[in-house]
Amino acid sequence: REKAEQAIWNRLQHLKALKTRRQQDRLPLRIGILGCMAERLKEEILHREKLVDIVAGPDAYRDLPRLLAVAESGQQAANVLLSLDETYADILPVQTSAGGTTAFVSIMRGCDNMCSYCIVPFTRGRERSRPIASILQEVKMLSDQGVKEVTLLGQNVNSFRDTSEVQFQSAAAPVLSRGFSTVYKAKPGGLRFAHLLDQVSRIDPEMRIRFTSPHPKDFPDEASVLQLIQERHNICKQLHLPAQSGSTRVLEAMRRGYTREAYLELVHHVRDSIPGVSLSSDFIAGFCGETEEDHQQTVSLLREVRYNVGFLFAYSMRQKTRAYHRLQDDVPADVKQRRLQELIAVFREEAARANEAMVGQSQLVLVEGPSKRSASELCGRNDGNIKVIFPDAEIKDAAGCKALVRAQPGDYVLVKVTSASSQTLKGVPLCRTTLACSTA
C-alpha cells in the first residue's frame, strides 16, 4: 500500500524535530521501523537523513533486544532476513484495549501465490502456518477476556496447512476445481483450514468467527468450509472473495489463476451453499495493459455480483514484483483515477441496493460502542460485517429479566432495519439477546 508507506515517511518527519530536541536534552530518542516496509526499503530508510536507528523485517521481531542494544551504542541496527518457518506461534499478543469486543488472530505468514502485482511474497516470504493448538490457545484466551468476535488473519487463509502433527503429514493435496489454476504445486499433508475453522468455532458458542483473506482458487473443493459456514451459528455468513478485475485477460496478466467465468461460477456456488451470504471483494483499477473494454468488464462484474462491501484501489507499481520486471505500467494516472471513481460509484450504487433489501428485516448486531457521529446512538456490525447504527435506548432482555436494560459493548442486540445506504444500516433496537438464542 503506497498510501501506508507515505504515512510512515510523514510520521518520520514529525519525529525528526522531537529527536533533535531530545538529543539537546541528552535524552536520546530511538526510532525503529518494523515490518514489511522495513524489509522492502531497508537501504533507503537507513540512509535518508540517518533518522532511523532500528530496522526490523516481519520475521526479525525476536531479534529486537539485540537490535535495541546495538542502537543504544549509537550505531544503526538492521535485520530484514526472512524465515521459512517463523510464525511466532509461541508468542501470544497483548490485548492493549481492555474490554475490546473484537480481535484479530494471525494464523499464517507469507504467501506462495505470486500474483504479478503483489509485493507480499517478497516482503513476508513463503507461506507457513501456525500449529492449530497455538491458535486455539489464543482464541480461548480471548474468549476468557470477554472478546466476542475473532477474525482469523492470513494472506491466503484457505490454503492454511498445519504440518506440526506427524500423523497428518500423509494427507492428500487438495484438487482445484475446473477453471482454477496455481503457479505452484499444491502441497500434500497437514491439517487444513476446514479443520481449523471447525475447532475454533467450538471454543465459545457466543463468539463470532470471521476470516480473511481467502483466495478464490482455494474454495471450490473446500466444500467443507462453505458447509461449516452454513451449519455453525457462530461462523459469520460473510465471505471476502477478492476478484481484482472482471476481465479474464487482465486476470491472466495478474496471474490470479482463474477466469471471469470461473469466478462467477464460484459466486453462484457460494450463494447456493450459504443463503443470504454477504460478499466483499478487492479491485485494482488501471493494472498494466488494462483497456477501456477490460475496465467495463470490471464494472459489469460489480453490477452482476452486487457486493455488500468493497475495497478498491488504483494500481501502483511495486519493485521486485513480476509486473515490475515483465509488464509496463502504461495506464496514465488520470485514467486510473477516473476508472477508480467509476468503480467506486458503481460499487456504492449496487451495495446500496443490496443493503436496501434488508430494510424491514431484523438483524443481530454485536455492539462495538457509541456511534462516532452521535453519543445518543450505538454502533455495531451485523453478521455480514455491515455497520448498523441504532438509538441508545432502554430495551427488553430476551433472557427474561423484567427490568429494561441499556446495551453495552459486547452485547448482541436484535435491531429492526428502517433505512440503508451503501455502507450503513440504521434501525430500532428490539431486545438484547444471545447468539445462540437469536439463531434458535
Side-chain angles (χ1 to χ4, degrees), residues 366-380:
L366 175 59
V367 180
E368 292 175 356
S371 164
K372 284 180 183 172
R373 295 194 178 176
S374 168
S376 64
E377 292 181 316
L378 291 172
C379 178

Side-chain angles (χ1 to χ4, degrees), residues 11-256:
R11 180 78 175 139
L12 284 173
Q13 283 310 306
H14 169 76
L15 291 171
K16 187 179 177 182
L18 183 61
K19 188 170 187 175
T20 307
R21 279 205 306 277
R22 289 279 291 269
Q23 276 167 336
Q24 288 164 354
D25 297 340
R26 306 218 171 159
L27 294 165
L29 178 74
R30 304 290 175 217
I31 299 175
I33 294 188
L34 319 180
C36 304
M37 180 178 172
E39 195 282 334
R40 193 176 92 77
L41 297 173
K42 171 190 163 187
E43 297 299 329
E44 192 178 345
I45 290 166
L46 288 173
H47 294 125
R48 195 189 273 198
E49 301 175 54
K50 300 282 185 196
L51 190 62
V52 175
D53 304 285
I54 296 161
V55 174
D59 292 344
Y61 300 145
R62 288 185 203 274
D63 198 28
L64 279 171
R66 184 189 69 82
L67 295 172
L68 283 161
V70 171
E72 283 303 314
S73 72
Q75 302 173 66
Q76 286 183 309
N79 179 352
V80 293
L81 293 174
L82 290 175
S83 163
L84 287 172
D85 49 23
E86 180 62 87
T87 61
Y88 295 97
D90 58 330
I91 300 176
L92 294 181
V94 176
Q95 289 300 114
T96 51
S97 53
T101 57
T102 63
F104 293 98
V105 174
S106 178
I107 66 168
M108 61 200 299
R109 295 175 80 84
C111 186
D112 287 347
N113 284 322
M114 305 299 285
C115 300
S116 60
Y117 54 80
C118 186
I119 192 70
V120 168
F122 304 97
T123 56
R124 292 191 190 162
R126 302 305 296 270
E127 206 169 84
R128 63 266 189 210
S129 304
R130 274 175 72 179
I132 284 179
S134 74
I135 299 168
L136 298 180
Q137 181 192 354
E138 187 174 336
V139 174
K140 174 74 169 68
M141 181 188 79
L142 292 166
S143 168
D144 292 344
Q145 289 174 4
V147 168
K148 287 293 182 71
E149 181 179 291
V150 156
T151 303
L152 305 177
L153 275 187
Q155 197 65 30
N156 187 17
V157 288
N158 50 344
S159 65
F160 176 89
R161 193 173 69 100
D162 170 14
T163 55
S164 64
E165 296 188 42
V166 176
Q167 69 267 39
F168 298 107
Q169 287 183 1
S170 59
V175 179
L176 298 181
S177 266
R178 184 170 55 85
F180 290 82
S181 63
T182 175
V183 296
Y184 65 88
K185 192 178 175 187
K187 301 176 188 81
L191 291 167
R192 299 282 167 174
F193 184 60
H195 182 87
L196 171 66
L197 198 56
D198 170 46
Q199 295 296 304
V200 167
S201 69
R202 292 174 188 271
I203 288 173
D204 180 350
E206 286 301 307
M207 178 189 265
R208 274 180 171 171
I209 310 298
R210 301 187 191 277
F211 57 87
T212 198
S213 179
H215 193 293
K217 72 175 169 55
D218 296 310
F219 263 115
D221 290 295
E222 274 283 11
S224 47
V225 169
L226 299 179
Q227 197 176 335
L228 271 172
I229 297 171
Q230 195 268 321
E231 286 173 2
R232 297 283 158 88
H233 74 275
N234 63 334
I235 302 179
C236 293
K237 311 297 178 272
Q238 175 241 328
L239 267 187
H240 186 60
L241 287 180
Q244 308 300 2
S245 173
S247 159
T248 294
R249 197 184 68 79
V250 174
L251 289 169
E252 191 176 341
M254 289 177 165
R255 297 179 105 196
R256 288 293 289 168

Side-chain angles (χ1 to χ4, degrees), residues 254-301:
M254 289 177 165
R255 297 179 105 196
R256 288 293 289 168
Y258 50 84
T259 60
R260 175 195 175 95
E261 291 71 29
Y263 179 86
L264 279 170
E265 205 172 304
L266 171 61
V267 168
H268 296 316
H269 175 49
V270 165
R271 285 191 161 143
D272 288 344
S273 306
I274 311 164
V277 68
S278 168
L279 294 181
S280 57
S281 194
D282 299 335
F283 286 92
I284 295 171
F287 183 65
C288 307
E290 183 188 73
T291 64
E292 202 58 36
E293 186 187 342
D294 294 323
H295 166 64
Q296 289 306 323
Q297 287 187 32
T298 302
V299 169
S300 74
L301 185 74

Side-chain angles (χ1 to χ4, degrees), residues 217-423:
K217 72 175 169 55
D218 296 310
F219 263 115
D221 290 295
E222 274 283 11
S224 47
V225 169
L226 299 179
Q227 197 176 335
L228 271 172
I229 297 171
Q230 195 268 321
E231 286 173 2
R232 297 283 158 88
H233 74 275
N234 63 334
I235 302 179
C236 293
K237 311 297 178 272
Q238 175 241 328
L239 267 187
H240 186 60
L241 287 180
Q244 308 300 2
S245 173
S247 159
T248 294
R249 197 184 68 79
V250 174
L251 289 169
E252 191 176 341
M254 289 177 165
R255 297 179 105 196
R256 288 293 289 168
Y258 50 84
T259 60
R260 175 195 175 95
E261 291 71 29
Y263 179 86
L264 279 170
E265 205 172 304
L266 171 61
V267 168
H268 296 316
H269 175 49
V270 165
R271 285 191 161 143
D272 288 344
S273 306
I274 311 164
V277 68
S278 168
L279 294 181
S280 57
S281 194
D282 299 335
F283 286 92
I284 295 171
F287 183 65
C288 307
E290 183 188 73
T291 64
E292 202 58 36
E293 186 187 342
D294 294 323
H295 166 64
Q296 289 306 323
Q297 287 187 32
T298 302
V299 169
S300 74
L301 185 74
L302 282 166
R303 290 210 185 278
E304 189 167 344
V305 177
R306 188 171 287 176
Y307 299 96
N308 300 83
V309 179
F311 304 92
L312 300 94
F313 303 92
Y315 176 63
S316 63
M317 180 75 87
R318 281 282 173 270
Q319 288 181 2
K320 295 187 183 177
T321 60
R322 183 181 174 88
Y324 179 77
H325 293 295
R326 304 280 181 91
L327 302 173
Q328 268 190 309
D329 187 7
D330 54 1
V331 179
D334 60 330
V335 175
K336 284 180 187 175
Q337 283 306 316
R338 174 182 59 78
R339 290 178 185 173
L340 175 62
Q341 294 313 313
E342 282 177 20
L343 294 181
I344 290 170
V346 170
F347 156 72
R348 284 187 175 157
E349 196 182 311
E350 296 301 331
R353 284 193 181 129
N355 292 345
E356 276 159 16
M358 292 183 229
V359 173
Q361 294 179 5
S362 295
Q363 296 284 318
L364 184 67
V365 178
L366 175 59
V367 180
E368 292 175 356
S371 164
K372 284 180 183 172
R373 295 194 178 176
S374 168
S376 64
E377 292 181 316
L378 291 172
C379 178
R381 288 182 184 272
N382 71 354
D383 191 82
N385 212 21
I386 298 161
K387 190 185 286 184
V388 183
I389 294 168
F390 59 94
D392 180 6
E394 289 189 325
I395 49 174
K396 289 189 298 183
D397 187 74
C401 81
K402 302 222 172 137
L404 294 175
V405 294
R406 271 256 164 70
Q408 301 296 319
D411 284 347
Y412 288 106
V413 175
L414 208 56
V415 176
K416 185 171 184 181
V417 180
T418 54
S419 67
S421 70
S422 64
Q423 292 173 300

